[in-house]
Every structure is written in structure tokens, then in C-alpha cells.
Amino acid sequence: MKEARIPRSWLMLALGTGGQTASTTVLYGLPYLLPALQRELGLSLVGAGVLVSCPIAGVLLGLIGWGVVADRYGERVALSAGLLGAAGAMALAAAAPGVRPLGALLVLAGAAGSSVSSASGRLVIGWFPPARRGVAMGVRQASQPLGIALAAAVLPPVAHQAGLSAAFGLCAALCGGAGVAMVLFAADPPRPGPAAGEPAPSPFRGGYLWRLNGVAAALCVPQFVVTGFSLLFLTEVRGWSAGTAGTVLAVANLAGAGVRLFAGWWSDAVASRVRPMRLLAVATAADLVLLTVGAAWHSPVATVALLVASGLTVSTNGLHSTAVAEYAGPDWAGRALGVHQMGQHAAVVLVPPLAGALIAGHGYPPLFAAAAAFTAPAIALLPHADRTTPWAAPAIPAPPAFEERGLGRSPGERAKGG
């Protein structure tokens, strides 16, 4: 029985990672189509930025609802329905007759695809014990830079050779394949029964969860600035070709996936999600300041700092998502992750059009300076210690060596030495 559980947990991790990778091409990969949107639809940079924001606006509409679905009906239902819905919306977007219908379909795709943000993290957390959740969530969160890397490498050349419709069709195929895999193979993790028939108290009553939400929202702005405008900076300012820039950024985002894996391992090793988060946020701030100065002085240092920022700005995502789910507990994790993601997307929904206007009026240095400024409130808001809520018995029991060293306990318990 125990042997059957081990591969199932890793299968769930693979499904969650694959689903997030596929949905990322829709939710965060469209900035790599900015040149094609301007070229084929005759849009300004600001107008194209509005279209790129449409999936994010859709995410805001869907996150909490999908969290409720995951909490009440299970992760499998939420993930399969959301991914298949996103696939259908993107397939229709490929044949959209104009800019407004296209924008509406991109909003719908974002709303459907947001199920992955609410439910896949819960799926992974539920199948892994506390001592391995950092690494597991690091793998799952690595799917976002992997998806962005895929979008950077594939979407620009596909749009250049076959047009926007082909690029949207590719996104639809990726989401559809992931959705079918969820239907066939996903399984909901075990859940504990309510204690004495009483429902778990809401984790939103205290300030801890809201502080984590604020941290994530603030750190998401520089992440989206770097993700959304790296290609334009390298092509317009540095004079790189779109193909070369896309390939280099794909490699940089793959490195970002590795950084997330390292951050997850680090958080397990030190029994804390918060401490690595603080150090990584400080490193991100320093790199963005270097990027701003380099861009202002037209220095090659800016290019290096930009590529480093591709990894650093995404490094904390797995940590704060894990911290939120562990604090919320199994009865509230879906809704808590939905609210958590909603705050991040609310913070960045206007970034593409506002950033486009800032670049058009003042260039890139003020944009990078603004991104660096958002790291300050994130560092200030970070809690000083981790807090957790017990989950069900995990799918992979921690081995005796872990228990002897105290690693089978939650980060909060280990930090207290209890």
C-alpha cells in the first residue's frame, strides 16, 4: 500500500507542474506576442499592453471561485474544467474577428486558466509531508518560468511565421492536453475529518495571511515588469533580433526555474519559508537597482542584470504560496491560495499598459526604478516567523531519519524546537 502511494504523489506533482506550465503560456506568455499584436492588429504599445492584460483581468474574476470549487469538490474537478475551458477560449481567440472579441476571449481564457493557480498548489501540498513541501512546491512553482521560457522560445517565431492565430492555437493545444491529463490521472489528496464536527476557523481573521498577500503582490510587480518587457528592451535598446532575444530569455527563465527549486530546497533545509524569502527579496532589490543604473548609462551591465532578474524576480513565488497553504490548512487552502493569487494579479493587471506609457514617454530606466521600489514594502511586510496548520497524513511518510532529525515536523514546529 505504501509503495503505491509514492509514485502517485509524484504523478500529482507532475500533473500540477504540467498544468501550470500550460496555463502560464496564456496567463503570462502573451507579452512575447507584443510585436506581433502591434504588427497584425495595428495597435500602439499601450493598446497591445491592454490586450496582454486581458488574461490577468480574467484571473481576477476566477481565482476565488475556483478556490471554492477546489475546497468543496476537489482539485481534479477544478483543474480539468479550468484547463479545458481555457483551451476552448484560446481556440476561439485564434479565429476572433476583431480586437474587442479577442480581448473578451482572452479574459475568458484567464478566468478559466486561473483554476490552476487556486487548485494545483493545493494538490501538491496535500500529497507531500511538511519536510518535502518546499521542494515539491518549488518544482510546481518552477512551472511558471518554464511556461514563460516555452512562450519566449516558441510564440515569437510561430507568430512571425504563421501569425497570431497559430500562436493562440498552440496555447489552446497545450491547455487542452493538460486538461485531458487531469481528467484521466489526477486524484484528490487525503483530507482530515473535522475535529469534533467543528469547521476549521477562518485563517483570514488575523494579520499573518494578509501580510503574506501584501508581500506577494508587491514582489509580483517587478516580476511582471521583467517578464513583460525584457524582449522589447533587448530588441529596441540593445538591438538584438527577436529570435536571439527569445532564445536567451528562454534560457534565463529556465535558470529561474532552477532558482525556484533551490529556494524550495533551502526552505526545507532551514525549516522556514520566511527567512529565504527575505534574503531573496533583498537580492532582487539590489539587482533591480543595478539594472536601473545600467539602463540609464546604456551599460552592458544592464543586460546582465536583466537576465539575472529573470531568475531572481520569480524566486519567491513557491515560498509564499507554500506559506499561505500551510497556514490556511486543508479546509481553507483553495480559497486562501485564490485570494493570494488574486492580490498578485490585481497588483499587475495595469502594469503592461502603464509600463508601455512610461516607456513611450520616458524610456526604460524609470520603469526599472519603479520595479525596484516595489521590493521595499515587500521586505517591510514580511512576517518574522512561520506559522502552520496541520494537514492530513501525507502520501509519502517521512522516513525515520527525517523524524530523528526533527525534519518530519512542520516548519513552525521545528522553528520552536518542539
Side-chain angles (χ1 to χ4, degrees):
M1 193 70 180
K2 201 175 285 186
E3 289 76 6
R5 287 180 174 179
I6 294 177
R8 168 168 282 194
S9 63
W10 287 101
L11 174 60
M12 296 308 110
L13 178 56
L15 288 171
T17 302
Q20 184 78 58
T21 301
S23 67
T24 293
T25 61
V26 176
L27 302 181
Y28 311 113
L30 297 190
Y32 294 107
L33 293 176
L34 280 171
L37 290 168
Q38 292 178 272
R39 181 178 64 252
E40 291 192 28
L41 302 180
L43 297 172
S44 66
L45 181 57
V46 175
V50 170
L51 272 185
V52 166
S53 293
C54 285
I56 302 171
V59 169
L60 291 173
L61 299 175
L63 275 170
I64 295 179
W66 285 118
V68 173
V69 171
D71 284 339
R72 294 184 179 177
Y73 304 107
E75 293 80 358
R76 179 172 176 268
V77 170
L79 290 168
S80 56
L83 284 165
L84 292 175
M90 291 306 295
L92 292 174
V99 174
R100 290 185 179 180
L102 174 59
L105 288 166
L106 293 178
V107 170
L108 182 60
S114 66
S115 69
V116 181
S117 298
S118 293
S120 67
R122 181 192 169 90
L123 183 74
V124 172
I125 287 286
W127 279 106
F128 282 83
R132 301 185 187 181
R133 281 183 192 149
V135 171
M137 280 294 282
V139 173
R140 181 260 183 185
Q141 289 295 109
S143 58
Q144 185 174 335
L146 285 174
I148 293 172
L150 178 64
V154 175
L155 293 185
V158 168
H160 180 74
Q161 296 177 11
L164 280 171
S165 295
F168 292 151
L170 176 60
C171 293
L174 290 171
C175 290
V180 170
M182 294 295 179
V183 172
L184 296 177
F185 304 112
D188 297 335
R191 303 190 186 196
E198 296 181 2
S202 170
F204 294 101
R205 292 176 182 174
Y208 183 81
L209 201 58
W210 296 111
R211 290 180 70 176
L212 288 175
N213 290 341
V215 169
L219 290 177
C220 201
V221 173
Q223 176 185 332
F224 208 79
V225 166
V226 171
T227 299
F229 294 90
S230 295
L231 183 70
L232 287 176
F233 178 78
L234 293 176
T235 54
E236 292 182 355
V237 178
R238 290 290 177 249
W240 293 18
S241 68
T244 300
T247 301
V248 171
L249 289 173
V251 173
N253 279 288
L254 289 175
V259 172
R260 286 193 179 188
L261 289 172
F262 169 76
W265 170 85
W266 183 11
S267 75
D268 284 342
V270 301
S272 173
R273 317 301 178 199
V274 170
R275 277 185 283 160
M277 212 185 311
R278 180 175 287 107
L279 293 174
L280 288 168
V282 170
T284 299
D287 182 65
L288 290 172
V289 169
L290 184 63
L291 171 59
T292 302
V293 174
W297 286 91
H298 303 287
S299 169
V301 171
T303 302
V304 177
L306 181 68
L307 298 178
V308 171
S310 298
L312 279 178
T313 55
V314 302
S315 62
T316 59
N317 288 55
L319 299 179
H320 53 66
S321 293
T322 306
V324 164
E326 287 185 327
Y327 178 71
D331 292 329
W332 285 88
R335 281 162 284 185
L337 286 170
V339 172
H340 186 63
Q341 292 283 338
M342 186 175 181
Q344 295 174 64
H345 288 85
V348 303
V349 66
L350 294 179
V351 167
L354 291 178
L358 191 59
I359 292 170
H362 305 283
Y364 285 90
L367 175 64
F368 295 145
F374 273 90
T375 60
I379 296 169
L381 277 172
L382 265 172
H384 295 291
D386 298 77
R387 300 181 189 177
T388 62
T389 299
W391 281 66
I396 306 177
F402 277 59
E403 295 293 341
E404 292 169 7
R405 291 156 46 198
L407 294 179
R409 294 167 287 167
S410 70
E413 291 172 331
R414 280 179 270 150
K416 294 177 183 176

